[in-house]
Amino acid sequence: MSGDGGRRLLDRYPRAGRRDAVHRHELLRIRGRSVAWIPPLILLLAIVAVDYQTPRDFRIISWLVLVPGIAAAICGLRGTVVYAVLAPAVYLLADTALPDQYQAGMADFVLAALGGILAMAACAVRVRGERRMVHMRDIADATRRTVLRPLPPGFGGLDHAYVHLAADTDARVGGDFYDIQPGPHGTRVLLGDVQGKGLAAVDVAAALLGTFREAGYHEADLCTVAERLEIRMIRHRARLAALGDPEGDRFATAVLLGFTDDAPDTVDVIVFGHDPPLIVGPRGVRALPPGDTLPLGLAELGLRAGPPPVNRVPLEPGETLLMTTDGVTEARDRHGVFYPLGDEVAGALSADPRAVEPRRLVALVRDGTLRHCGGRLADDTTVFAVRRLR
């Protein structure tokens, strides 16, 4: 989810957004049309013009060898071929127009022709690499849609909005995970953060989301859903240890919510070592207690036996639950100051009561985080806001 303001911020901070090396040619477009052919043409004309204006014993026409090289860097293969042919042809015309004693000769012509051949070869290698990157990006996008599936509007009776920015832009998905699962026992919401980032964390996130989607639908008790998540984390770690994975000791912090039909003015909350959600409403911002449940995968280290405690929290009409991962809470500016999430939300709410809407709230936190850290995301960043539909 992103609006026009979000796109401007992502353009300003490309490391935090969706652009990568594959899309760099978008910068050479005007109104949707490619203008990559213009810089080589300008260079070609400039060389010819300077060569014509300078004294005849000062020749720079051999510099035309640079033209196909520039085209190979920014144009497609077809455009590079055009300039690889055009540069030697222009060289012949410009050189033969002068008296014999001022001509550069065939040696420079061979140089221009050889430069064109090398430029075509370099462009072919570059284009092949970019096509491979596009293919890898499509695979990453398919993985992202599988792990972090799109959520339709009003899914599970909730008004929701979310944004996810992966710190590993090549992976395009990281260790943050979230989902909404409606079922016969109410609607469950999960947001979490796997220790670490990158593709290794994606494996853990996919395992936990698969368990949540099944248990969240079938299990009547939210505690049972929490226990299933803990068991799944332990099983996953055991499998990684059996495979000899050096990163098999990962854990995950998470927030598990339950919205039930029999208590429409409350929400059940279980916090697994994660930052507790903020409740944002017309009366201001309040934080839920952090709870004493350890992260998923570390329950055996705790002193508490049995299922994790469920905190039932009353909700007033119109209140929104705002959940974030540590990409937001641990974002720092150039002075090392953490992003003041609560103060930022409270200030925006006092200025505009409509900021309580999930869509506006997520955009506010996303834009504020990017501005605060200058787009240098140190960790995967997810902002997720939900409230009941009335």
Side-chain angles (χ1 to χ4, degrees), residues 123-189:
C123 182
V125 172
R126 193 210 81 209
V127 169
R128 181 181 300 176
E130 289 186 353
R131 287 175 179 172
R132 180 178 177 83
M133 285 296 297
V134 170
H135 179 64
M136 296 300 295
R137 183 198 63 187
D138 292 341
I139 293 176
D141 284 341
T143 302
R144 175 176 55 83
R145 289 191 297 269
T146 301
V147 177
L148 303 177
R149 61 184 182 180
L151 300 175
F155 193 51
L158 299 179
D159 181 13
H160 62 79
Y162 55 90
V163 65
H164 171 73
L165 301 175
D168 186 349
T169 56
D170 292 331
R172 302 174 74 85
V173 64
D176 290 1
F177 55 93
Y178 55 87
D179 204 0
I180 297 175
Q181 181 57 60
H185 310 291
T187 299
R188 276 69 187 265
V189 178

Side-chain angles (χ1 to χ4, degrees), residues 39-351:
L41 180 61
I42 293 176
L43 179 62
L44 184 146
L45 296 176
I47 291 174
V48 174
V50 172
D51 186 76
Y52 179 78
Q53 295 294 332
T54 53
R56 293 183 176 182
D57 56 350
F58 180 78
R59 304 300 310 280
I60 65 168
I61 196 66
S62 60
W63 290 14
L64 286 173
V65 71
L66 299 175
V67 173
I70 298 297
I74 62 177
C75 296
L77 184 57
R78 184 180 303 176
T80 303
V81 170
V82 170
Y83 283 108
V85 175
L86 186 61
V90 171
Y91 172 87
L92 282 178
L93 292 175
D95 196 47
T96 56
L98 295 175
D100 293 343
Q101 65 269 28
Y102 298 112
Q103 292 181 3
M106 291 300 297
D108 287 348
F109 172 77
V110 172
L111 177 63
L114 182 60
I117 295 174
L118 294 177
M120 288 188 292
C123 182
V125 172
R126 193 210 81 209
V127 169
R128 181 181 300 176
E130 289 186 353
R131 287 175 179 172
R132 180 178 177 83
M133 285 296 297
V134 170
H135 179 64
M136 296 300 295
R137 183 198 63 187
D138 292 341
I139 293 176
D141 284 341
T143 302
R144 175 176 55 83
R145 289 191 297 269
T146 301
V147 177
L148 303 177
R149 61 184 182 180
L151 300 175
F155 193 51
L158 299 179
D159 181 13
H160 62 79
Y162 55 90
V163 65
H164 171 73
L165 301 175
D168 186 349
T169 56
D170 292 331
R172 302 174 74 85
V173 64
D176 290 1
F177 55 93
Y178 55 87
D179 204 0
I180 297 175
Q181 181 57 60
H185 310 291
T187 299
R188 276 69 187 265
V189 178
L190 178 67
L191 177 135
D193 182 6
V194 178
Q195 176 202 14
K197 54 181 179 287
L199 293 177
V202 177
D203 186 32
V204 180
L208 291 174
L209 283 174
T211 298
F212 168 73
R213 289 161 184 166
E214 289 299 313
Y217 180 86
H218 292 288
E219 301 296 342
D221 191 357
L222 194 65
C223 286
T224 306
V225 179
E227 290 180 318
R228 291 277 299 275
L229 290 171
E230 176 67 29
I231 293 171
R232 185 68 181 94
M233 189 68 190
I234 294 175
R235 289 173 51 203
H236 190 77
R237 290 174 56 183
R239 182 182 68 85
L240 294 179
L243 292 173
D245 191 334
E247 298 184 354
D249 58 347
R250 291 175 182 264
F251 59 86
T253 63
V255 176
L256 179 62
L257 306 180
F259 295 89
T260 59
D261 295 334
D262 58 351
D265 296 326
T266 63
V267 60
D268 295 332
V269 183
I270 301 178
V271 179
F272 297 95
H274 198 85
D275 291 322
L278 293 179
I279 299 180
V280 183
R283 297 188 179 182
V285 180
R286 55 192 174 104
L288 295 180
D292 56 357
T293 303
L294 292 176
L296 294 169
L298 301 180
E300 59 186 14
L301 303 179
L303 300 177
R304 179 189 296 274
V310 178
N311 183 18
R312 175 159 285 190
V313 179
L315 291 177
E316 296 182 3
E319 285 190 324
T320 299
L321 285 101
L322 174 65
M323 297 168 285
T324 64
T325 57
D326 53 12
V328 174
T329 56
E330 297 181 4
R332 303 190 188 201
D333 62 11
R334 57 192 180 95
H335 302 294
V337 178
F338 289 108
Y339 176 60
L341 176 61
D343 295 340
E344 187 94 355
V345 173
L349 190 62
S350 62

Side-chain angles (χ1 to χ4, degrees), residues 7-22:
R7 281 192 290 270
R8 287 193 293 269
L9 274 171
L10 294 176
D11 290 340
R12 182 179 177 185
Y13 305 123
R15 290 180 56 193
R18 297 161 294 183
R19 291 192 173 186
D20 50 32
V22 179

